[in-house]
Amino acid sequence: MYFLSGFFFLLVGGIEALLIRMQLIVPNNHFMVGDTFNQLLTMHGTTMIFLAAMPMIFGLMNVVVPLQIGARDVAFPFMNALGFWLFLAGGLLLNFSWLFGGAPDAGWTSYPLLALNHFSPGPGIDYYVLGLQIAGLSSLMGAINFLVTIVNMRAPGMTFLRMPLFTWATFVTSALLLFAMPPLTVGLILLMFDRLFGSHFFDVAGGGDPVIWQHLFWIFGHPEVYIVVLPAFGVMSEVIATFSKKRLFGYSSMVFAMVLIGFLGFMVWVHHMFTVGLGPMSNAIFAIATMTIAVPTGIKVFNWLFTMWGGCIRFTTPMLFAVGFIPTFVIGGVTGVMLAVPPADFQYQDTYFVVAHFHYVLIGGTVFGMFAGMYYWWPKMFGKKLNETLGRWHFWLFLIGFHMTFLVQHWLGLWGMPRRVFTYQPGYGLEWGNQLSTAGALLMGISIIFLLVNIAVTARRGEAAGSDPWDGRTLEWAISSPAPEYNFAQLPLVRDVDALWYAKMNGKKGVEPAEPIGSIHMPSPSYLPILMAVGFFIAGFGFVMRAIPAAVLGLIMVFITMFMRSFDHDPGYHIEPEEIEATEKGARA
Amino acid sequence: MRRRQHLWRYLLVFAALALLLTGCGDPRLNTLDPSGPAGEMQLSLIKLSLGIMIGVLTVVTIIYVYVLVRFRQRPGQNDIPKQVEGNTKLEILWTVIPIVLLVVLAVPTISTTFNLAKNPPQGQTVEVKVIGHQYWWEFIYPQYGFRTSQELHIPVGKKVHFEITSADVIHAFWVPNLGGKMDAIPGKKNHMWLQADKPGRYTGKCAELCGASHALMDFTVIAQKQQDFDKWVKAQQHPQSMAANKTLEQGKQLVAQNCIGCHAVRGADFRYEGKKGPELTGFGQRTTIAGFLPHDEKHLQAWLKNPQAFKPGARMPKIGYLDEKEMKALTQYLMSLK
C-alpha cells in the first residue's frame, strides 16, 4: 500500500514536472507564469521527495526487510499501519492545497522570508508546513520500527555481518531518519508559529533570522538525500549480485561505506549555503567534508563493477535498471564533487547545473533503484513476474529520455539559467537546450505509460512466478510468492551471507529450519490507525484554514484514539500448525 | 546491438564535451567565458574539477563497458561463477586513489576560497551598495552620492566592492560573466568583489527564488573605460531632467502627480524624492525597461498601463486612467531624462 500510494504520487509529481517543462519549451511562454509556476515547482519537489521517494522506499522495506532477515513481521505492526495512514493524510492534505486556497509557492525548501505571511499570503505554505509535519511523523515511526525490527528480529544465525545489503541499507537509512527528522520538525514548528501565531523566529522585521531556517532545513535536507539514495544502493547490491550469479564483492567494505556515508551525511549541510555569506572558514571546512563523501561512494561503485567482473550477467529488466544506474549515478556523483568547491559553487549555486546534478543523483539513484527493486520483487509481492519486453521498452525510453532531459541542463546552468525561473529571454542561446530537455521529459513520460501497461497486462494475464524466479540468493526467495501472511512457517537457520544460495550450493532444496512447526502468533487488525490519521488530518486542515475549533476537535480525536489504543488489551490470534501446513501445501502444488 | 548502445553513450559524452569546449552560451551571460579575474579564478577551478571528474568517469566507463561485454551470459552458458569475497589490495587501491585526487582538488579550492573572500583595500575600489527588491535592483554609490536602478555602471580594470543586502525577501546577486553569486539577505550585509577586464554589457540575474517574478529580476552591468565611467558619474550627479518643450512639461507634471510618490527623478526640482521604487533619473539613457523589456516608447506605455502583465506580482499600480495624449507626454518626458 505504501508502495502503490507512493507510486501514485510519483505520477502526480511527474505530471507537474511535464507541465514545468511545457512552460519552458519556448522563451516568454505564457502557459503558466508567476505564482502558478512557483506552485508547480514547489509541489513537484515536495511531492517527489516526501510523497513519492520516501513511501516507495518504505513500501519496499516493508515487503522485503522482514523476509530478508527471516522475521514474521515488523516489530510494531500497529505503528506501521499508523505510519502509512499518517503519510497518506499528510500527502492528501498537501494536495488539497490545489483545490482549497492555492498550493505552496516558495520552493520545496520554503525559505523564509518568502515563506512568511507577509510575502506568501494565503494558506499555501500552511499546507506545506502541516502536511509535511504529519507525513514526517510517519517517517519517524517507520524509522523506529525498522531499527527495532532489524536489531531484534533477525533469524537464528543471522549476525549483523550476514545481513543482506538491502537490510543494511534500511538499517542505516532508519538511523539517519531518526536523527534527521527532528531538525525538520523543529523548523516546521517554528515556521508554523511564525505564520499562525505571529512569532518572529525568521522575520527580520521582528528581530528574527531567516538563515536559521536554512540551517535547520539542510541539517535535515542533506541527510535526506542519503535517506532516499542508500536504499537504492541496497537494491542495486541485491540485484547486481543476483544477476551476476556472484557474491557481492567486498561485502564488509560495502557495509562500512554505507555507514560512513550515513555519518558524513550529517557533516556537510553548509554546502547548500556557500553563497549565504558564512565566511571562507566555514565554507572551506564544509567543502572538504563534502568531498570526503566521494571516497565511500567510489568504494561502492568499484565494488559493484567487480561484483559483475567474472560473473555471468543476465540482462533482465531489474538488472538493466541496475546497470543503467551505475554510469548515471557516477555522473551525478562527480558533479557533486564539483559542487563541493565553494568558489566554483558561487557559479553553480541556484542554477540549472544544480538541477541537473540532483536529478542525476535522485533519478539516477533513487528512481532507477526503485524501478529495479519493483521489477525484482514484484513476483514476491504479487506472485507474478512483470512482462520483460514491456520492461525493456520502459527502461530504454526512460534512460534515453532521462539523459536528454538532464545532461543538457548542466550547460544551461553554466550559460546563465537560474533554477526556478518560469521563463528566459530569447536570444541568449538558451532555447534549444530547453527544447531538448522538454522532449526528453516527454519521452520519460511515455516510458511510464509502458510501465502502467505492463502492470495492467501482468495483473490480467501474468503467469505465476514460483517462489524463486530469479535464482535468488537471499531468504525472501525461500518462501512461496506472494509471501503468506506469517512469512516463514518455520524460522530459517542462517549459516552464511546469501543464506539461500549457500543452501542451494550445498544441494539442499531450501534453507534449514531453526524450529519445529508451531502455532504462530499474529496481531489483530485494527481500525484505530485510520481514525488517528483522520484526526491528524482534521487538525491539520483546521490549522490551515485558521479554524482553531476544528483543529482542536481533530486533536481531541487523536488523543481519544491514543487513549483507546493505550488501554486496549489486544491478545492477537494464533495460526495453528494444521492451517500452516495446508497453506504451505497449497503454495507448493 | 548492445555494443552499439555503448558506442552511442560514448558519443553522447564526447558530443557534450565538444559543446563545452566551443562554449555555446551567449557572451553576455556565460560562466564559461568570463570577463574578469573573479570569474577566471572560478572557471579555473571548474576546469580543474571537471578534468579530474572526467578522468574518474573515463576509468569507470572503461571498466564498466569491459565488464558488461566480457561477462554477459552467453546462450547455453550454465556454469556457476567463482564466488569471490573481495580483494583487500584492490579495495585499498580504490580508497587511496580518490583520496589523493581529492587532496589535489582541495588545496587550490581552499586557497581560492580565501582569496575571493579577501576584501580589496579601501580607497582603491569603487564601492557599490546593492539592495535587492521584489523584483528590481537598487545600486547606491556612496563615494559619488547617488543611486541608480536596474543598470550598474562599473569602470573597467578596477575592483568593484559590493555590499549586498535586501529590502524584503532573500535574493541572490549574480553576474555570470564576471563571477559567482552572493545572497542578498535582509538584515545582513554580504561582501563580494568583481572586476571587468573589457568594456561591454553583461546580464545580471537574481538566482534565489524570490516570488512570482523571480524569473524576470534581471539587470544590466555596463563596464566602461574609466573616462566614460567618469562621464556617466558626472551626468548622474548633475542630471538633466528639466522639460524642454510644452509636451514634455505636461509629462513632467504627470510624473509629479503619478510617479513621484514611489520613484525619484533628480534634477527636476520635484519637492519629493520617492524611494519605494526604482530610481528614474537618467531613465532615457537606459537600455531596458523594468530590467528586461526593450527600451522604447511602445513598451514603456504598455508597461505603464499594466505592469503585472509583464512582471506578475510587481508592486507598481496600473496607470490606465491617463488618456492617449497624456500617456504620450508622460513617456516622452521619461525618455528625455538624461
Side-chain angles (χ1 to χ4, degrees), chain A residues 34 38 113 245 247 250 253 275-277 291 303 310 313-314 323 343 346-347 349-350 414-415 422 427-428 473, chain B residues 24-25 28-29 31 42 64 71 73 83 85 91 94 102 168 174 176 181 183 186 188 190 203 207-208 211-212:
Chain A
N38 290 351
L113 300 132
K245 286 197 185 169
R247 200 190 141 127
S253 69
T275 62
V276 167
M291 289 178 191
N303 276 334
I313 303 171
R314 285 174 290 158
V323 163
F346 291 163
Q347 288 287 21
Q349 169 76 342
D350 276 325
L414 291 170
W415 294 337
F422 68 78
Y428 281 96
R473 311 175 66 84
Chain B
C24 224
R28 289 164 293 173
L29 191 70
T31 55
Q42 289 159 353
Y64 174 79
F71 298 108
Q73 187 181 38
Q83 302 293 303
E85 289 209 14
E91 286 167 49
W94 60 61
L102 289 184
D168 37 45
W174 184 34
K181 58 192 75 63
D183 287 0
K188 188 171 175 348
N190 275 331
T203 302
E208 181 70 59

Side-chain angles (χ1 to χ4, degrees), chain A residues 354-407:
Chain A
V354 175
V355 175
H357 158 71
F358 68 70
H359 281 94
Y360 262 84
V361 175
L362 289 175
I363 295 184
T366 308
V367 176
F368 275 52
M370 289 307 109
F371 283 150
M374 182 177 180
Y375 281 94
Y376 184 58
W377 280 305
W378 197 267
K380 194 45 69 183
M381 291 191 259
F382 301 102
K384 291 168 175 177
K385 225 164 145 175
L386 284 169
N387 183 303
E388 283 283 305
T389 318
L390 288 170
R392 266 158 225 274
W393 273 97
H394 170 208
F395 168 73
W396 283 111
L397 286 178
F398 192 80
L399 183 80
I400 295 167
F402 167 76
H403 284 282
M404 261 172 80
T405 311
F406 294 107
L407 192 63

Side-chain angles (χ1 to χ4, degrees), chain B residues 162-204:
Chain B
F162 297 98
E163 182 190 289
I164 301 165
T165 188
S166 160
D168 37 45
V169 302
I170 300 176
H171 304 274
F173 174 79
W174 184 34
V175 191
N177 265 71
L178 298 180
K181 58 192 75 63
M182 185 56 84
D183 287 0
I185 303 170
K188 188 171 175 348
K189 285 171 184 163
N190 275 331
H191 297 270
M192 181 171 80
W193 62 265
L194 293 174
Q195 178 183 327
D197 284 338
K198 36 184 184 211
R201 277 172 207 288
Y202 310 109
T203 302

Side-chain angles (χ1 to χ4, degrees), chain B residues 197-216:
Chain B
D197 284 338
K198 36 184 184 211
R201 277 172 207 288
Y202 310 109
T203 302
K205 291 196 165 279
C206 174
E208 181 70 59
L209 180 66
C210 60
S213 275
H214 163 59
L216 300 170

